[in-house]
Amino acid sequence: EVSPTPTTGLVMISLEGTGSEQVRVRLTDVLGREVMQLHEGRIPGDHRIFADISYLPEAAYLLVVENAKGRSTHRVLKQ
């Protein structure tokens, strides 16, 4: 879960724990270019990541969460 969206700055990402699985969380532009890496490693329990994107231009971004089971993408709108 990602909130709030749209946002002017701070975004909270809620993740469920994966135990021993490696997880990569990153923010990309709509062309898939990485703008920010938010996490890489294990998430032992439910976890929240806070990202300050206030310095990024107003645009749509994609939050990409990847692990061994696959990939999920969430839209983040920066105003």
Side-chain angles (χ1 to χ4, degrees), residues 51-67:
D52 180 6
I53 63 170
S54 60
Y55 67 93
L56 295 175
E58 292 183 5
Y61 296 93
L62 300 174
L63 177 77
V64 181
V65 180
E66 299 169 298
N67 63 23

Side-chain angles (χ1 to χ4, degrees), residues 20-70:
S20 61
E21 261 181 46
Q22 294 289 321
V23 177
R24 184 173 182 214
V25 182
R26 59 195 177 100
L27 193 69
T28 70
D29 64 15
V30 293
L31 299 176
R33 295 178 295 206
E34 187 172 301
V35 174
M36 182 186 301
Q37 182 167 317
L38 301 169
H39 180 84
E40 187 162 0
R42 294 182 178 92
I43 298 176
D46 292 348
H47 190 69
R48 290 184 180 159
I49 298 171
F50 293 90
D52 180 6
I53 63 170
S54 60
Y55 67 93
L56 295 175
E58 292 183 5
Y61 296 93
L62 300 174
L63 177 77
V64 181
V65 180
E66 299 169 298
N67 63 23
K69 295 179 184 174

